[in-house]
Amino acid sequence: MDALNRERIFGVGAGSRVIGCQGEVLEVLESTMDTARRRAVAGAPDGFVVLAERQRAGRGRTGSWECAARQCLLMSVILRLGIPSNERRLITLMGAV
């Protein structure tokens, strides 16, 4: 299986106008969510995507877990939807469904 290619995924004309318009591909990281959170705080735009070949400390319903390279879809998306903070957890629930 080929490695993820940033230019093929996020290059000109590759992504949508919002989700996937920009992003980065990392070989190894602790958690896509932690990385996306840091990018959001630093000003990454709405729809910015963080993809990883491998992550060492992902979190899910069963707690912390590790995923081997190219065995899982490892992705987090920054969405700036203007939703009040007390309702943001609903987005996570909707995404899980």
Side-chain angles (χ1 to χ4, degrees), residues 26-91:
L26 301 165
E27 188 174 331
V28 180
L29 50 68
E30 295 302 312
S31 160
T32 60
M33 181 64 80
D34 292 344
T35 301
R37 183 175 290 117
R38 286 192 300 274
R39 301 302 185 262
V41 169
D46 190 28
F48 189 89
V49 176
V50 174
L51 291 166
E53 294 279 346
R54 181 171 171 253
Q55 76 178 9
R56 294 183 292 240
R59 293 181 303 277
R61 292 181 298 167
T62 59
S64 183
W65 58 278
E66 181 175 333
C67 182
R70 301 182 189 146
Q71 299 297 310
C72 306
L73 177 61
L74 304 171
M75 174 180 77
S76 290
V77 179
I78 296 172
L79 297 175
R80 301 181 187 278
L81 302 173
I83 296 172
S85 60
N86 63 330
E87 296 178 10
R88 289 183 190 152
R89 291 182 181 258
L90 295 174
I91 298 299

Side-chain angles (χ1 to χ4, degrees), residues 5-16 20-25:
N5 181 295
R6 186 192 183 288
E7 286 305 312
R8 229 163 74 196
I9 297 169
F10 301 113
V12 176
S16 71
C21 61
Q22 293 183 43
E24 67 183 309
V25 175

